[in-house]
């Protein structure tokens, strides 16, 4: 999706019978189409190809002969078992780049394990440091393992394309969901390496900065980010806490972190005394970092996103109008370009072979008769 957002012609290879499994993730569905699938498949064309048939594999190799990049998310060894090794796919195209995305990577003792977002959130340690200190481990509220791995994969593909421009040859890229998620540990891993002790769940508090956490107002929730002494001074002025500014327990950032529980206990009733919008207004006016904790609905209707063109609409041939949050990148101060709608299963099979390879309807039908495309609609 990210590469498609940047202008790549993305062809999605799907099983002719069932397609991408996320087509069945729901509810909700829109005219039978999964809202989950619709949210992450813009700017792609769908080819229904049976990789278990020899004709289907030949069709894929023909596409690889003219492609820049092949991305797969099978367990390591699956494509090799079908004869679709990197060597086979690049034999006619030495400039081909193959990016393999898997749960645990192409090497190591766990290489053959299946990987899903929930599994990797746990295996990476992220769940162990997420949630209330006295509660169970908690997953992040979005599919962060899937999402961050996709970001790393698109970044790696772009780097591989730059390398190819210098060397003239392609190569392999290996992106592991475990590696991607473990990389997010950053200072948490640093704390372990420095002390030998695993960080514990801290809820919405920060281990080394305070007050840098969540507070409840009289009618909602907000986040406060006092990341240095300058902001602490500004904050104390807002709440009428000049005495707190020079309190020896709180007069420096390390002291505030060491006495976080005491400080939070003083601040909670102060924030509960007024509405969320009051605090956002007075804190923002003073230059204190703060923000509301908004619902997904509030964010999807937020004027800031809408005015920046971040909420877009496409017309899907089955689901009708589909809204989504667009790419978060812009060039030369221009809003994100319009997107093409998510594809129906096999919607572009003939079109892709015609535009990429110049095949005629007869040639495609010949492959179809050999089982390459299952029962896909080739119109």
């Amino acid at each position: 999706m990210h590469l498609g957002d940047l202008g790549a012609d993305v062809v999605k290879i799907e099983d002719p019978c069932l397609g991408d499994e996320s087509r069945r993730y729901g509810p909700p569905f829109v005219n039978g189409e999964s809202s989950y699938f619709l949210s992450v498949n813009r700017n792609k064309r769908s080819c229904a190809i049976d990789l278990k048939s020899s004709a289907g594999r030949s069709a894929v190799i023909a596409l690889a002969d003219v492609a820049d990049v092949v991305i797969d998310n099978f367990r390591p060894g699956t494509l090799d078992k079908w004869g679709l090794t990197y060597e086979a796919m690049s034999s006619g195209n030495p400039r081909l780049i193959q990016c393999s995305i898997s749960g645990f990577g192409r090497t190591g003792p766990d290489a053959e394990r299946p990987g899903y977002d929930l599994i990797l959130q746990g295996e990476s340690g992220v769940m162990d440091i997420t949630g209330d200190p006295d509660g169970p481990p908690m997953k992040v509220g979005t599919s962060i393992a899937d999402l961050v791995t996709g970001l790393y994969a698109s970044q790696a593909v772009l780097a591989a394309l730059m390398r190819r421009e210098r060397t003239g040859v392609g190569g392999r890229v290996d992106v592991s969901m475990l590696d991607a998620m473990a990389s997010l540990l950053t200072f948490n891993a640093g704390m372990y390496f420095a002390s030998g002790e695993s960080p514990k769940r801290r809820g919405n508090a920060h281990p080394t900065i305070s007050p840098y956490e969540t507070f409840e107002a009289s009618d909602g929730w907000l986040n406060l980010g006092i990341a240095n002494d300058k902001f602490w001074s500004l904050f104390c002025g807002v709440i009428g806490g000049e005495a707190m500014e020079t309190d020896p327990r709180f007069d420096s950032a390390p002291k505030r972190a060491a006495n976080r529980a005491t400080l939070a206990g003083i601040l909670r009733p102060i924030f509960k005394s007024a509405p969320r919008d009051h605090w956002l207004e007075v804190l923002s006016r003073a230059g204190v970092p703060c923000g509301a904790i908004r619902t997904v609905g509030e964010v999807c209707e937020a004027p800031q996103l809408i005015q920046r063109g971040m909420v877009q609409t496409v017309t899907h041939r089955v689901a009708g109008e589909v809204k989504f949050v667009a790419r978060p990148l812009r060039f030369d101060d221009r809003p994100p370009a319009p997107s093409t709608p998510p594809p129906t299963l096999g919607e572009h099979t003939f079109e892709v072979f015609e535009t990429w390879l110049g095949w005629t309807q007869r040639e495609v039908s010949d492959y179809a008769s050999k089982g390459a495309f299952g029962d896909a609609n080739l119109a």
Side-chain angles (χ1 to χ4, degrees), residues 30-66:
V30 184
N31 293 336
E33 299 291 314
S34 162
S35 64
Y36 184 109
F37 180 89
L38 294 173
S39 72
V40 291
N41 280 280
R42 63 177 180 265
N43 293 325
K44 303 177 189 179
R45 297 194 286 173
S46 173
C47 259
I49 301 179
D50 184 359
L51 298 183
K52 296 178 182 178
S53 74
S54 59
R57 294 192 291 271
S58 295
V60 166
I61 289 177
L63 291 175
D65 282 344
V66 297

Side-chain angles (χ1 to χ4, degrees), residues 129-130 133 185-192 195 197-213 226-227 253-261:
I129 56 173
T130 304
L185 294 177
T186 56
F187 67 83
N188 288 284
M191 292 171 67
Y192 169 75
S195 68
E197 297 182 5
S198 288
K200 303 301 181 183
R201 285 188 291 283
R202 299 177 291 270
N204 293 318
H206 195 282
T208 59
I209 307 173
S210 180
Y212 193 94
E213 57 193 279
I226 308 299
K255 290 181 181 179
R256 291 192 295 278
N259 295 293
R260 190 201 70 78

